[in-house]
Amino acid sequence: MGTDACRATGDMSYVYSCNPCFIRVRSWSDETVVYDVRTGETHLLGADAALLITALLQRPATVQELTEELRTEIGADEAAPVARLQSILHVLTSRELIQHRSS
Amino acid sequence: MNLPPCALPMFLPTPERLLQLDLAQWDMVIRQAQRARVAGRLAAALQERGRLDEVPPQPRRHLESALTIANRQREAVTWEVRRLVAQLEPLGIPVILLKGAAYIFEELPCARGRLFSDIDILVPHSALDDVERRLQRYGWIAEARDAYDQRYYRQWMHELPPLQHGRRGTLLDIHHTILPPTARLKPDARKLLQAARPVAGHEELYVLAPEDMVLHSATHLFHDGELEHGLRDLADLMDLTDHFATTHPGFWDELPRRAREMDLDRPLYYAVRYLRRVLGRPIPAEVERKLQDSGPPPPLRRGMDALFQRALRPAHRSCGDGFTASARWLLYVRSHWLRMPLHLLLPHLVRKAGRRTQRT
Amino acid sequence: MISIDVDPEIPRSLRGAGLFLNIGPFTVRLVSPMAEVADAMALFYDEQCRPGDADFADFHIRVCRPRNARRWYRPQVNFYVDDLAPFKPLPAAQAYPFFEWGLNWCIAQHAHHYLMIHAAVVETGGRALVLPGAPGSGKSTLCAALVCRGWRLLSDEFALVSLADGTLSALPRPVSLKNESIAVIRSFAPDAVIGPAALDTAKGTVAHLKPPPGTVQRAREAARPAWVMFPRYEQGARTRLARLGKGQTLMQLVEDSFNYNLLGAAGFEAGADLVDGSACFELSYGDLTDVVERLTALATTEG
């Protein structure tokens, strides 16, 4: 945890998670707003980030697993779906919405 | 029900009695409670007993409002402390939570409905510089306004000035002892650290031992000067002693003994005295007897009663008389007299008085 | 200059035990020896003064001159709530606006059973239009205009969103108008009751519009939110509604809220429910008559 560790753009061995006890989500069309009960911060997320958070709220996952699961939604038009996912994970981690640990 | 003009203290030990109030009485009590910052506490107490709904709607909204803020602050403090602990973890030092933050993490009764103004932690004296440096990296800035304030804290009081988070605005007070080294009472901080206990479920976090927690609260209240929330602090003391008396057999024996060991029997004397006189809280006779000699000399006793019994009332017009303002001022001066040598005290008070008039 | 017959009971109460005012869900007890305040109460709050004594007041407010030299020399006025002065004194001529600004502060500090958003709210057919108010947006002017054309005023400062059921509560109070808006509304609605102007305030020249007859009587009627529109006045602009995403709208409402950060998840859910049930727009306009007609037509066709 902490901003130092976040500088890595998502080590492939990290397991990411999102704690449903603390995160509230509301979605409309392609906009999703997320509230973090711990920090009191409210975040506006784009469609891809929303998909990621929703997936992680169900169960923790690695970058690989997320890429597989969301291949059709996020990966279809992407030349480098893994890199795209990693950059979103990086942003979500820096906002403290998701956590990671080494597997 | 017939009420004295300053009725609030009688409801702190027995909040259900509030339900006997008529609307006009609620009007006064709500204002007193808001000024004394105990509205949330009363709301929480009634809610716990399942009786908040029995309060008439208009005053109830004020109670619920205070409780809403208190609950949100509790969440914020919890998160802020967890974050702090993670940030300080590499230093490998014990971090001891004090006051409100400790009450939250220990889930003590006095945490319920409480309003927090800042977070207080205690760290070893040797670690102060490292802690300050590390926290500055995470956006904490010393709140002291100018060079005089910096000197006051660092050189004279041997304390860090309060830190404030640049972005979030949270206030953080980092202590290394509970009274400054210049104070007349000399509690040994190392003993506090030795007796500190880990918080259940959080290995890196500690709180003071029960007796030390009570002594710290009493010392802060009776020696630290800002009595604006004196009644609230006295209510905390009531909750703490009630709770530990139930959960820790031998607590009442250990408390006066520890007070003597820590050179803090004078504040404990006052605590016990005013718990009885202001809140009507009986203390085991044995304890009062042991502390008999810890009070001020008898001629001074009545004088201190006159000061404290006024200053411990809510800071509301309905609860004061012509002497209340001077009582508060005298106690303020006294608290500084207890903290700093005379040659520093007078210029300091002059400066503070100057600040006060500028602000108004 | 409006001359009214001031009921002598009003200054008598103000100088004595206090005048009790029913302002939406709140009861205010006001004490003030100042003639300007008595006149304003008689003009604006005549239907909301409670006869006799009320048992419980949410706010105990006192507006009075200081005891020091500023009582006479460049006279000032102080605002106290329960004997505390949260603000510095203002020039005595601003005594009545000071009451309104101070009351805003009191409400914003204490009414946490609502999600409170800085917005004007008007209603027609049981459906409410929320107009969040960035400074310079013209929300008060637009609110005043709508209210003069048949919309019911809920409030010109606060959207009070109930945390319990998401409805908007009414807070009938005079609508504050600034600078050019005063003349604009006078010509837009010649029969409207507008009080005396206070000059040189921090916001310029300020005057107040009394809500039309019937507003106070309907104070207990809450309303369901139907539209959120961010107004933007631009001279010469055509009336235009540009649809906004609900997520984006929610983020902006959070910024415009007085107490969102104190409410935790309950505030989030209330805000999300508000945008959920509302059509959200950015509203640009340059002509008051046109925008009022457009909005009224919109409400009628949708209703």
Side-chain angles (χ1 to χ4, degrees), chain C residues 26-58:
Chain C
F26 305 110
T27 304
V28 174
R29 177 172 153 264
L30 175 60
V31 169
S32 177
M34 298 177 72
E36 303 92 319
V37 173
D39 289 346
M41 291 301 118
L43 177 62
F44 292 122
Y45 287 98
D46 53 325
E47 294 176 280
Q48 292 165 276
C49 301
R50 189 187 288 205
D53 230 331
D55 287 324
F56 185 93
D58 295 287

mmCIF file of all heavy atoms in Angstrom, chain C residues 26-58:
data_model
loop_
_atom_site.group_PDB
_atom_site.id
_atom_site.type_symbol
_atom_site.label_atom_id
_atom_site.label_comp_id
_atom_site.label_asym_id
_atom_site.label_seq_id
_atom_site.Cartn_x
_atom_site.Cartn_y
_atom_site.Cartn_z
ATOM 1 N N PHE C 26 -38.476 25.085 9.789
ATOM 2 C CA PHE C 26 -37.752 25.674 10.913
ATOM 3 C C PHE C 26 -38.573 26.734 11.636
ATOM 4 O O PHE C 26 -39.363 27.448 11.033
ATOM 5 C CB PHE C 26 -36.452 26.330 10.432
ATOM 6 C CG PHE C 26 -35.560 25.397 9.662
ATOM 7 C CD1 PHE C 26 -35.381 25.566 8.297
ATOM 8 C CD2 PHE C 26 -34.919 24.346 10.285
ATOM 9 C CE1 PHE C 26 -34.578 24.698 7.576
ATOM 10 C CE2 PHE C 26 -34.113 23.467 9.577
ATOM 11 C CZ PHE C 26 -33.944 23.649 8.218
ATOM 12 N N THR C 27 -38.342 26.825 12.925
ATOM 13 C CA THR C 27 -38.892 27.930 13.707
ATOM 14 C C THR C 27 -37.726 28.804 14.130
ATOM 15 O O THR C 27 -36.735 28.310 14.674
ATOM 16 C CB THR C 27 -39.612 27.405 14.964
ATOM 17 O OG1 THR C 27 -40.617 26.476 14.577
ATOM 18 C CG2 THR C 27 -40.256 28.555 15.726
ATOM 19 N N VAL C 28 -37.851 30.103 13.852
ATOM 20 C CA VAL C 28 -36.791 31.036 14.199
ATOM 21 C C VAL C 28 -37.325 32.009 15.235
ATOM 22 O O VAL C 28 -38.432 32.519 15.099
ATOM 23 C CB VAL C 28 -36.334 31.831 12.942
ATOM 24 C CG1 VAL C 28 -35.329 32.909 13.322
ATOM 25 C CG2 VAL C 28 -35.749 30.898 11.905
ATOM 26 N N ARG C 29 -36.552 32.258 16.258
ATOM 27 C CA ARG C 29 -36.902 33.316 17.214
ATOM 28 C C ARG C 29 -35.939 34.463 16.971
ATOM 29 O O ARG C 29 -34.727 34.303 17.078
ATOM 30 C CB ARG C 29 -36.789 32.815 18.642
ATOM 31 C CG ARG C 29 -37.063 33.892 19.691
ATOM 32 C CD ARG C 29 -37.121 33.275 21.075
ATOM 33 N NE ARG C 29 -36.738 34.243 22.080
ATOM 34 C CZ ARG C 29 -35.520 34.384 22.599
ATOM 35 N NH1 ARG C 29 -34.555 33.590 22.211
ATOM 36 N NH2 ARG C 29 -35.271 35.302 23.492
ATOM 37 N N LEU C 30 -36.490 35.607 16.601
ATOM 38 C CA LEU C 30 -35.665 36.755 16.236
ATOM 39 C C LEU C 30 -35.854 37.881 17.227
ATOM 40 O O LEU C 30 -36.985 38.263 17.545
ATOM 41 C CB LEU C 30 -36.028 37.228 14.820
ATOM 42 C CG LEU C 30 -35.345 38.500 14.314
ATOM 43 C CD1 LEU C 30 -33.822 38.326 14.279
ATOM 44 C CD2 LEU C 30 -35.859 38.856 12.919
ATOM 45 N N VAL C 31 -34.756 38.407 17.709
ATOM 46 C CA VAL C 31 -34.778 39.573 18.590
ATOM 47 C C VAL C 31 -34.010 40.684 17.888
ATOM 48 O O VAL C 31 -32.895 40.454 17.403
ATOM 49 C CB VAL C 31 -34.107 39.239 19.946
ATOM 50 C CG1 VAL C 31 -33.877 40.493 20.763
ATOM 51 C CG2 VAL C 31 -34.957 38.250 20.730
ATOM 52 N N SER C 32 -34.605 41.882 17.805
ATOM 53 C CA SER C 32 -33.887 42.983 17.183
ATOM 54 C C SER C 32 -34.564 44.305 17.509
ATOM 55 O O SER C 32 -35.762 44.463 17.296
ATOM 56 C CB SER C 32 -33.828 42.806 15.669
ATOM 57 O OG SER C 32 -33.179 43.936 15.084
ATOM 58 N N PRO C 33 -33.794 45.265 18.003
ATOM 59 C CA PRO C 33 -34.376 46.585 18.260
ATOM 60 C C PRO C 33 -34.369 47.498 17.031
ATOM 61 O O PRO C 33 -34.800 48.631 17.103
ATOM 62 C CB PRO C 33 -33.439 47.158 19.340
ATOM 63 C CG PRO C 33 -32.121 46.501 19.067
ATOM 64 C CD PRO C 33 -32.393 45.167 18.416
ATOM 65 N N MET C 34 -33.895 46.998 15.894
ATOM 66 C CA MET C 34 -33.665 47.889 14.753
ATOM 67 C C MET C 34 -34.905 48.046 13.882
ATOM 68 O O MET C 34 -35.539 47.050 13.492
ATOM 69 C CB MET C 34 -32.494 47.364 13.930
ATOM 70 C CG MET C 34 -31.218 47.348 14.759
ATOM 71 S SD MET C 34 -29.801 46.664 13.904
ATOM 72 C CE MET C 34 -29.447 47.968 12.735
ATOM 73 N N ALA C 35 -35.203 49.267 13.555
ATOM 74 C CA ALA C 35 -36.414 49.574 12.784
ATOM 75 C C ALA C 35 -36.386 48.905 11.411
ATOM 76 O O ALA C 35 -37.417 48.437 10.912
ATOM 77 C CB ALA C 35 -36.566 51.080 12.636
ATOM 78 N N GLU C 36 -35.175 48.867 10.788
ATOM 79 C CA GLU C 36 -35.085 48.248 9.456
ATOM 80 C C GLU C 36 -35.538 46.802 9.497
ATOM 81 O O GLU C 36 -36.164 46.283 8.562
ATOM 82 C CB GLU C 36 -33.633 48.252 8.944
ATOM 83 C CG GLU C 36 -32.988 49.613 8.863
ATOM 84 C CD GLU C 36 -32.231 49.982 10.127
ATOM 85 O OE1 GLU C 36 -32.735 49.705 11.237
ATOM 86 O OE2 GLU C 36 -31.135 50.553 10.004
ATOM 87 N N VAL C 37 -35.177 46.121 10.569
ATOM 88 C CA VAL C 37 -35.528 44.706 10.690
ATOM 89 C C VAL C 37 -37.031 44.569 10.912
ATOM 90 O O VAL C 37 -37.685 43.722 10.284
ATOM 91 C CB VAL C 37 -34.732 44.055 11.836
ATOM 92 C CG1 VAL C 37 -35.214 42.634 12.075
ATOM 93 C CG2 VAL C 37 -33.244 44.057 11.529
ATOM 94 N N ALA C 38 -37.604 45.424 11.749
ATOM 95 C CA ALA C 38 -39.050 45.364 11.991
ATOM 96 C C ALA C 38 -39.811 45.599 10.690
ATOM 97 O O ALA C 38 -40.775 44.891 10.377
ATOM 98 C CB ALA C 38 -39.441 46.394 13.043
ATOM 99 N N ASP C 39 -39.365 46.580 9.917
ATOM 100 C CA ASP C 39 -40.025 46.866 8.635
ATOM 101 C C ASP C 39 -39.951 45.663 7.706
ATOM 102 O O ASP C 39 -40.927 45.309 7.040
ATOM 103 C CB ASP C 39 -39.352 48.067 7.948
ATOM 104 C CG ASP C 39 -39.650 49.367 8.662
ATOM 105 O OD1 ASP C 39 -40.576 49.389 9.503
ATOM 106 O OD2 ASP C 39 -38.955 50.372 8.387
ATOM 107 N N ALA C 40 -38.789 45.044 7.638
ATOM 108 C CA ALA C 40 -38.618 43.897 6.745
ATOM 109 C C ALA C 40 -39.491 42.731 7.188
ATOM 110 O O ALA C 40 -40.096 42.034 6.366
ATOM 111 C CB ALA C 40 -37.149 43.476 6.695
ATOM 112 N N MET C 41 -39.584 42.514 8.470
ATOM 113 C CA MET C 41 -40.434 41.419 8.963
ATOM 114 C C MET C 41 -41.894 41.682 8.608
ATOM 115 O O MET C 41 -42.623 40.785 8.177
ATOM 116 C CB MET C 41 -40.289 41.276 10.488
ATOM 117 C CG MET C 41 -38.933 40.765 10.940
ATOM 118 S SD MET C 41 -38.531 39.151 10.243
ATOM 119 C CE MET C 41 -37.062 39.578 9.306
ATOM 120 N N ALA C 42 -42.311 42.949 8.765
ATOM 121 C CA ALA C 42 -43.707 43.285 8.466
ATOM 122 C C ALA C 42 -43.992 43.116 6.979
ATOM 123 O O ALA C 42 -45.060 42.650 6.580
ATOM 124 C CB ALA C 42 -43.991 44.714 8.903
ATOM 125 N N LEU C 43 -43.013 43.481 6.162
ATOM 126 C CA LEU C 43 -43.199 43.406 4.712
ATOM 127 C C LEU C 43 -43.163 41.972 4.205
ATOM 128 O O LEU C 43 -44.022 41.544 3.432
ATOM 129 C CB LEU C 43 -42.112 44.239 4.013
ATOM 130 C CG LEU C 43 -42.118 44.209 2.489
ATOM 131 C CD1 LEU C 43 -43.408 44.783 1.942
ATOM 132 C CD2 LEU C 43 -40.921 44.988 1.931
ATOM 133 N N PHE C 44 -42.165 41.233 4.637
ATOM 134 C CA PHE C 44 -41.920 39.926 4.020
ATOM 135 C C PHE C 44 -42.503 38.742 4.775
ATOM 136 O O PHE C 44 -42.850 37.737 4.188
ATOM 137 C CB PHE C 44 -40.411 39.694 3.884
ATOM 138 C CG PHE C 44 -39.741 40.596 2.908
ATOM 139 C CD1 PHE C 44 -38.705 41.423 3.294
ATOM 140 C CD2 PHE C 44 -40.146 40.608 1.573
ATOM 141 C CE1 PHE C 44 -38.079 42.258 2.381
ATOM 142 C CE2 PHE C 44 -39.525 41.443 0.651
ATOM 143 C CZ PHE C 44 -38.486 42.269 1.052
ATOM 144 N N TYR C 45 -42.525 38.826 6.091
ATOM 145 C CA TYR C 45 -42.861 37.635 6.879
ATOM 146 C C TYR C 45 -44.190 37.745 7.607
ATOM 147 O O TYR C 45 -44.443 37.006 8.555
ATOM 148 C CB TYR C 45 -41.730 37.348 7.895
ATOM 149 C CG TYR C 45 -40.473 36.788 7.272
ATOM 150 C CD1 TYR C 45 -39.388 37.611 6.980
ATOM 151 C CD2 TYR C 45 -40.364 35.428 6.983
ATOM 152 C CE1 TYR C 45 -38.228 37.087 6.400
ATOM 153 C CE2 TYR C 45 -39.218 34.900 6.410
ATOM 154 C CZ TYR C 45 -38.148 35.735 6.122
ATOM 155 O OH TYR C 45 -37.007 35.214 5.566
ATOM 156 N N ASP C 46 -45.066 38.651 7.129
ATOM 157 C CA ASP C 46 -46.313 38.862 7.864
ATOM 158 C C ASP C 46 -47.146 37.589 7.995
ATOM 159 O O ASP C 46 -47.826 37.375 8.997
ATOM 160 C CB ASP C 46 -47.132 39.984 7.216
ATOM 161 C CG ASP C 46 -47.342 39.724 5.722
ATOM 162 O OD1 ASP C 46 -46.422 39.167 5.081
ATOM 163 O OD2 ASP C 46 -48.412 40.075 5.203
ATOM 164 N N GLU C 47 -47.092 36.715 6.971
ATOM 165 C CA GLU C 47 -47.884 35.481 7.049
ATOM 166 C C GLU C 47 -47.180 34.389 7.841
ATOM 167 O O GLU C 47 -47.735 33.320 8.066
ATOM 168 C CB GLU C 47 -48.139 34.944 5.642
ATOM 169 C CG GLU C 47 -49.022 35.827 4.790
ATOM 170 C CD GLU C 47 -49.144 35.254 3.379
ATOM 171 O OE1 GLU C 47 -48.201 35.458 2.570
ATOM 172 O OE2 GLU C 47 -50.155 34.604 3.102
ATOM 173 N N GLN C 48 -45.952 34.641 8.224
ATOM 174 C CA GLN C 48 -45.178 33.582 8.864
ATOM 175 C C GLN C 48 -44.834 33.859 10.322
ATOM 176 O O GLN C 48 -44.164 33.057 10.967
ATOM 177 C CB GLN C 48 -43.873 33.348 8.079
ATOM 178 C CG GLN C 48 -44.127 32.742 6.717
ATOM 179 C CD GLN C 48 -42.923 32.841 5.804
ATOM 180 O OE1 GLN C 48 -42.693 33.855 5.150
ATOM 181 N NE2 GLN C 48 -42.149 31.777 5.761
ATOM 182 N N CYS C 49 -45.320 35.006 10.814
ATOM 183 C CA CYS C 49 -45.088 35.294 12.234
ATOM 184 C C CYS C 49 -46.068 34.478 13.034
ATOM 185 O O CYS C 49 -47.262 34.485 12.772
ATOM 186 C CB CYS C 49 -45.362 36.764 12.560
ATOM 187 S SG CYS C 49 -44.382 37.915 11.637
ATOM 188 N N ARG C 50 -45.583 33.813 14.024
ATOM 189 C CA ARG C 50 -46.489 33.024 14.854
ATOM 190 C C ARG C 50 -47.021 33.906 15.968
ATOM 191 O O ARG C 50 -46.249 34.576 16.652
ATOM 192 C CB ARG C 50 -45.731 31.848 15.453
ATOM 193 C CG ARG C 50 -46.650 30.873 16.150
ATOM 194 C CD ARG C 50 -45.875 29.828 16.874
ATOM 195 N NE ARG C 50 -45.258 28.879 15.947
ATOM 196 C CZ ARG C 50 -44.943 27.637 16.288
ATOM 197 N NH1 ARG C 50 -45.162 27.204 17.491
ATOM 198 N NH2 ARG C 50 -44.370 26.836 15.428
ATOM 199 N N PRO C 51 -48.336 33.925 16.150
ATOM 200 C CA PRO C 51 -48.854 34.733 17.258
ATOM 201 C C PRO C 51 -48.415 34.144 18.592
ATOM 202 O O PRO C 51 -48.324 32.927 18.738
ATOM 203 C CB PRO C 51 -50.377 34.624 17.103
ATOM 204 C CG PRO C 51 -50.594 33.392 16.303
ATOM 205 C CD PRO C 51 -49.383 33.183 15.451
ATOM 206 N N GLY C 52 -48.123 35.013 19.539
ATOM 207 C CA GLY C 52 -47.766 34.541 20.888
ATOM 208 C C GLY C 52 -46.408 33.887 20.915
ATOM 209 O O GLY C 52 -45.538 34.143 20.096
ATOM 210 N N ASP C 53 -46.259 33.014 21.820
ATOM 211 C CA ASP C 53 -44.985 32.384 22.116
ATOM 212 C C ASP C 53 -44.909 31.003 21.492
ATOM 213 O O ASP C 53 -45.882 30.270 21.503
ATOM 214 C CB ASP C 53 -44.884 32.209 23.631
ATOM 215 C CG ASP C 53 -43.573 32.733 24.129
ATOM 216 O OD1 ASP C 53 -42.591 32.691 23.350
ATOM 217 O OD2 ASP C 53 -43.536 33.150 25.282
ATOM 218 N N ALA C 54 -43.771 30.671 20.957
ATOM 219 C CA ALA C 54 -43.576 29.278 20.550
ATOM 220 C C ALA C 54 -42.722 28.614 21.612
ATOM 221 O O ALA C 54 -41.908 29.259 22.261
ATOM 222 C CB ALA C 54 -42.884 29.218 19.198
ATOM 223 N N ASP C 55 -42.897 27.339 21.784
ATOM 224 C CA ASP C 55 -42.123 26.656 22.816
ATOM 225 C C ASP C 55 -40.701 26.371 22.375
ATOM 226 O O ASP C 55 -39.769 26.470 23.155
ATOM 227 C CB ASP C 55 -42.797 25.326 23.175
ATOM 228 C CG ASP C 55 -44.064 25.554 23.978
ATOM 229 O OD1 ASP C 55 -44.066 26.496 24.793
ATOM 230 O OD2 ASP C 55 -45.034 24.803 23.779
ATOM 231 N N PHE C 56 -40.560 25.980 21.123
ATOM 232 C CA PHE C 56 -39.253 25.535 20.671
ATOM 233 C C PHE C 56 -38.852 26.315 19.428
ATOM 234 O O PHE C 56 -39.618 26.414 18.476
ATOM 235 C CB PHE C 56 -39.300 24.040 20.340
ATOM 236 C CG PHE C 56 -37.950 23.470 19.979
ATOM 237 C CD1 PHE C 56 -37.146 22.892 20.950
ATOM 238 C CD2 PHE C 56 -37.484 23.531 18.675
ATOM 239 C CE1 PHE C 56 -35.890 22.379 20.623
ATOM 240 C CE2 PHE C 56 -36.233 23.020 18.341
ATOM 241 C CZ PHE C 56 -35.442 22.438 19.322
ATOM 242 N N ALA C 57 -37.671 26.872 19.434
ATOM 243 C CA ALA C 57 -37.139 27.526 18.236
ATOM 244 C C ALA C 57 -35.862 26.804 17.827
ATOM 245 O O ALA C 57 -35.044 26.447 18.672
ATOM 246 C CB ALA C 57 -36.844 28.996 18.499
ATOM 247 N N ASP C 58 -35.727 26.575 16.533
ATOM 248 C CA ASP C 58 -34.506 25.934 16.052
ATOM 249 C C ASP C 58 -33.310 26.866 16.126
ATOM 250 O O ASP C 58 -32.192 26.436 16.389
ATOM 251 C CB ASP C 58 -34.699 25.480 14.591
ATOM 252 C CG ASP C 58 -35.744 24.397 14.467
ATOM 253 O OD1 ASP C 58 -35.441 23.260 14.863
ATOM 254 O OD2 ASP C 58 -36.853 24.700 13.995
#
